[in-house]
Amino acid sequence: MTDKDVRNEGNTTTESADGAKARGLLWPIAAWFWALQFAVLNPLLAVLLVTLYAATPAEVGWVLGLYNVGGFAASLVIPTLADRTRNYLRPLMFCAIGGVALVAVLALTTSLPVVVLALVILGGPPGVGSTLLFAQLRHEGAPPAQVIRTRAIVSFAWVIGPPLATLVTGAAGSPAAIALLASIGLVNVATALLLLLRRSDTLTDDATPRPRLLAQLRGWNRWGVVGAFTLLQATNIATVTIATLFVTHDLHAPLIWAGITLGTAALLEIPALLLIGRLQEHRSVRLLLAGGWVCGVAYYGLVALVQEPWQLLTLQPLNAWFFATVAGLGLTVFQDVFPSPGLASGLFTNTRRAGAVLAGLLIAALGAFPSPYRAVYVAAAIIVLTVLTIAAAVTARARSAR
């Protein structure tokens, strides 16, 4: 081998290492901006409807309802269609273009009916971006630890997104908010294109047979998993929804304490997800889930007893660990239960949407109690304890049947 060959081989090795590093950075960047798009749009949407299109409160409610229906349908249909072709990056590009098109409509039209139509048709696909990313990770054979780490990035985007949206809008108005959404959308187009180009070079077709869609939807065990995580999501949404009212009405504390406690829980969720990702490599998923759900029972039960806001704050590590197990491990559980990655990620995403509906019903049902906000925490503790008990019974029965 000549000196020139040696130099060329060394350069090739360096380029390969640089390429691998770039590909390694592409995933977290893509996960961050896809989650950020949704985290920025959601808190801004009602404001934009009022300031740009003069929507009434009733119209805001109807528009948001239709927008969420469109998002629910998109989060099931698009990943399921992607499962058929086993290609999740082309639909990701479609979703990215849809996000840019939605922002263009918001910027160019003054007609509320046109905006409603755009939100229903174009607003749903951008919300599916993170779902498709997780499906692609599973399709490429990514270990659960990588999936959980990626989920931590998504959680961090949800921490940053709402305050970023309100800061930009408050400082520079609605046009700046539209510009922010457009910038994020263009980055998503770029990352989708780069992932698509990388796939053509690195990923071979997966010929592993998968059960048909209807076959995957059969079985009490599978729907038991869906039901369990829907209930767990509902407890989180319900308690977060009434947290501000609980702090001001029951604890008689300033409103800022609600922001501090919710912000603390959101920030602690990120290191909790990263730690769970490491533990998952050495501990069984069932053990980690059980531990997280015990933390949920303890958190909700203890919050129902607190009398001071600082006591609520000290309990937030339990809250963060509980929800990290639901959000992080839950996704990997769905990907194990449902062989098709798109279906698995789509169903898990919709446990959050269905949980929001149940959370509203739970809050309404407990409204007649003397202390309705404490009652929500008590009910949440009972729900998590019930899920934990049923899961333990199912596990014990399965072991005894072996």
Side-chain angles (χ1 to χ4, degrees), residues 235 238-239 242 300 362-363 366 371-381:
T235 64
T239 53
I242 57 93
Y300 293 137
L362 178 67
I363 294 170
L366 299 174
S371 184
Y373 307 128
R374 286 190 189 274
V376 170
Y377 285 99
V378 173

Side-chain angles (χ1 to χ4, degrees), residues 148 269-281 288 321:
I148 295 172
E269 181 189 330
I270 298 162
L273 279 165
L274 295 174
L275 181 56
I276 287 172
R278 289 183 174 273
L279 291 174
Q280 192 273 337
E281 297 174 349
L288 292 174
W321 190 264

Side-chain angles (χ1 to χ4, degrees), residues 229-242 300 350-367 372-373 375-377 379-380 383:
F229 278 91
T230 299
L231 289 172
L232 295 172
Q233 297 272 22
T235 64
N236 173 259
I237 295 169
T239 53
V240 168
T241 300
I242 57 93
Y300 293 137
N350 280 319
T351 61
R352 187 75 181 169
R353 297 178 186 273
V357 175
L358 292 180
L361 295 174
L362 178 67
I363 294 170
L366 299 174
Y373 307 128
V376 170
Y377 285 99
I383 290 171

